Each structure stands twice: as structure tokens, then as C-alpha cells.
């Protein structure tokens, strides 16, 4: 019986030594995330969506100008005022190669008309400077939280 245990333990050590050098051990706190290769698409570069680009898209005039636009054009809905709702609507949209904003969606909303108002305000923005990759304009997904304060 002692011999069988020794052989099993020795076998386990051999298998462990045979693992590739880049294989690491996970601790209990680390989540196990499967590695997935993104699907290959034959879309033209103008239709591919990028999140990280060499030159990110920019609102005309920069970030300060964008905040001025938001302050000037965002209206708090009367339903939200009556209910005393404050918070953020998390939105997402695409900035096309032409700089136009398309497919505005709410990722996490507040309700009381705030979600619709955030979409309306974003859709009324002027064309942005598109993001670029290797000097070519690219379609980029952009996330923007919109704050509502009824105080």
C-alpha cells in the first residue's frame, strides 16, 4: 500500500513539472475568465467598432466645450423634479467615421423621463472629430454618464 502512494505522488510531481511555463496557479480570489478569440469579420474598417484607438474621438472644442453644451441643453424633466430624483444616466453611443452620433442607448437609467432626456441631449450634439487608428478615421463606441440634480 505504501508503494502505491509513493507512485501516485511521484506521478503527480511529474505531471506538474510537465505543465507549460506560462501556466500559473489561480488563487481563490482570482476569477476564472475563459479566453475567447474575437470572431473574424469581413466588415470594412468603417463598420468595425473600436474601443481603444490611437487618437480618441473628441467633441469639437474639447471636453470643457462638451460640458458647456450639456449644461446649456440638458433639461431636468418635471417628473424628476416632482419626485426629487437625482443621479446619473449611463449612456453609450457610436461616433461614426463622419463624426455623427448613432445608436444612443441607456446602459443604466433613472427613469422619470431622465433617460429620454439624456438620449435627446446626446442626439442633439454636433458632429465630433472621429477617433483614428493608423491615421484613418474609425467608428468608436463611447460611454458618457449624464448627471441629473434636482436639488
Amino acid at each position: 500500500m505504501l508503494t502505491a502512494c509513493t507512485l501516485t505522488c511521484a506521478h503527480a510531481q511529474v505531471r506538474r513539472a510537465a505543465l507549460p511555463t506560462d501556466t500559473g496557479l489561480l488563487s481563490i480570489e482570482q476569477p476564472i475568465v475563459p479566453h475567447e478569440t474575437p470572431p473574424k469579420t469581413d466588415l470594412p474598417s468603417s463598420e468595425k467598432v473600436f474601443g481603444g484607438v490611437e487618437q480618441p474621438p473628441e467633441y469639437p472644442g474639447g471636453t470643457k466645450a462638451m460640458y458647456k453644451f450639456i449644461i446649456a441643453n440638458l433639461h431636468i424633466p418635471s417628473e424628476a423634479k416632482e419626485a426629487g430624483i437625482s443621479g446619473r444616466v449611463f449612456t453609450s453611443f457610436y461616433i461614426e467615421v463622419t463624426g455623427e452620433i448613432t445608436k444612443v442607448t441607456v446602459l443604466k437609467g433613472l427613469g422619470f423621463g431622465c433617460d429620454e432626456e439624456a438620449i435627446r441631449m446626446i442626439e442633439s450634439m454636433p458632429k465630433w472629430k472621429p477617433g483614428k487608428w493608423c491615421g484613418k478615421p474609425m467608428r468608436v463606441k463611447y460611454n458618457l454618464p449624464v448627471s441629473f440634480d434636482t436639488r
Side-chain angles (χ1 to χ4, degrees):
M1 188 66 163
L2 183 59
T3 309
C5 181
T6 307
L7 291 175
T8 306
C9 294
H11 179 67
Q13 290 174 353
V14 171
R15 284 184 53 201
R16 188 171 193 198
L19 290 174
T21 56
D22 65 342
T23 303
L25 298 175
L26 293 175
S27 68
I28 295 173
E29 295 85 30
Q30 292 176 311
I32 298 174
V33 181
H35 174 72
E36 292 182 15
T37 305
K40 292 185 178 184
T41 60
D42 294 330
L43 295 173
S45 62
S46 63
E47 294 180 17
K48 292 181 183 175
V49 179
F50 288 85
V53 289
E54 287 177 351
Q55 182 181 347
E58 184 180 344
Y59 183 85
T63 307
K64 287 184 181 181
M66 180 178 65
Y67 289 133
K68 284 182 184 179
F69 177 86
I70 291 171
I71 290 169
N73 293 288
L74 187 68
H75 307 291
I76 298 174
S78 58
E79 301 164 20
K81 284 181 185 177
E82 291 170 8
I85 299 297
S86 295
R88 289 183 183 164
V89 174
F90 293 90
T91 63
S92 177
F93 53 92
Y94 292 97
I95 300 167
E96 301 293 337
V97 295
T98 59
E100 294 179 76
I101 294 174
T102 60
K103 298 184 181 179
V104 182
T105 58
V106 173
L107 301 174
K108 183 178 178 188
L110 285 174
F112 297 92
C114 294
D115 305 348
E116 293 81 7
E117 176 59 20
I119 290 171
R120 185 207 60 80
M121 185 270 308
I122 290 171
E123 288 177 342
S124 70
M125 285 183 167
K127 287 186 177 182
W128 289 45
K129 295 177 188 174
K132 293 186 179 180
W133 182 263
C134 297
K136 295 181 182 178
M138 290 289 160
R139 182 181 195 207
V140 178
K141 188 172 185 180
Y142 197 87
N143 295 330
L144 180 69
V146 180
S147 296
F148 289 87
D149 190 8
T150 59
R151 288 182 255 155

